Amino acid sequence: MSLNLKDHLRGVPDFPKPGILFYDIGSLLAHGPAWQQTIQELSAIVEENRPDFLLAIESRGFLVAAPLAAQLSIGLVMARKKGKLPGKIASIDYALEYGHDTIEIQRDVFSAGARVLILDDLLATGGTANATISLARQMGAEVTGAAFIIELAFLNGRAKLDVPIHSLLSYDE
């Protein structure tokens, strides 16, 4: 029996600031059958793309990618905020709606030519996902696509990404 995953998401108005409706996956994670269905649906997307690695975006992307990587016996690489990873790193600065940020990946986690699928919980404006795709490519990876639980279609983040996009749920407002 298939569940309506939207029934297991909670919209939190005015978080983290007034005028923002935050889509919280905490209630989805807390419902075992809904979370299991989410992982099963994402698993089919990942298998279709046949990546060598899942490149998970900090921090909720880690929650999404970890069970998938384990289930499918593929590598998991973390894209983290500046200063969170040890060793040699590659980094990229990118623009946010209000300011700038930096995302980093460890340099020695995959080799040139590796097939990589980007994973995160949410696609909003596309800035972080686009930066992660660019950084993976700078490291020689072939980015096969990007997958998200939720897409905020009204923010048109999809238009910033030049890879196939997969989202389980879409919101138009």
Side-chain angles (χ1 to χ4, degrees):
M1 180 170 113
S2 184
L3 300 171
N4 181 349
L5 295 178
K6 282 187 176 182
D7 291 343
H8 300 282
L9 290 173
R10 182 172 64 124
V12 181
D14 299 320
F15 183 82
K17 58 186 176 181
I20 301 291
L21 178 60
F22 181 81
Y23 289 92
D24 181 20
I25 67 165
S27 51
L28 178 66
L29 292 165
H31 190 276
W35 181 237
Q36 183 177 38
Q37 180 177 318
T38 301
I39 295 304
Q40 288 171 346
E41 290 182 21
L42 286 170
S43 179
I45 292 166
V46 172
E47 285 180 312
E48 208 173 275
N49 281 269
R50 300 183 334 274
D52 302 311
F53 296 92
L54 299 179
L55 179 52
I57 298 174
E58 185 170 338
S59 64
R60 289 181 303 268
F62 301 166
L63 298 171
V64 178
L68 289 167
Q71 177 182 326
L72 300 171
S73 297
I74 57 177
L76 169 61
V77 176
M78 297 178 291
R80 300 214 57 193
K81 294 179 181 172
K82 187 174 185 174
K84 301 284 186 180
L85 292 171
K88 294 181 181 177
I89 54 105
S91 65
I92 190 169
D93 295 325
Y94 63 100
L96 295 170
E97 189 174 352
Y98 301 103
H100 288 83
D101 210 345
T102 303
I103 198 152
E104 299 178 335
I105 301 171
Q106 290 172 311
R107 284 199 174 272
D108 57 357
V109 293
F110 54 78
S111 57
R115 292 174 53 83
V116 172
L117 179 75
I118 308 298
L119 263 169
D120 204 358
D121 68 318
L122 178 78
L123 174 60
T125 63
T128 304
N130 186 49
T132 304
I133 291 166
S134 295
L135 185 54
R137 286 179 174 154
Q138 285 177 21
M139 295 175 62
E142 175 192 343
V143 180
T144 63
F148 306 90
I149 296 173
I150 304 165
E151 179 178 357
L152 303 181
F154 60 93
L155 294 176
N156 205 25
R158 179 179 284 260
K160 286 187 180 173
L161 309 181
D162 64 353
V163 298
I165 307 301
H166 310 276
S167 56
L168 300 184
L169 306 170
S170 183
Y171 290 90
D172 293 324
E173 54 182 65

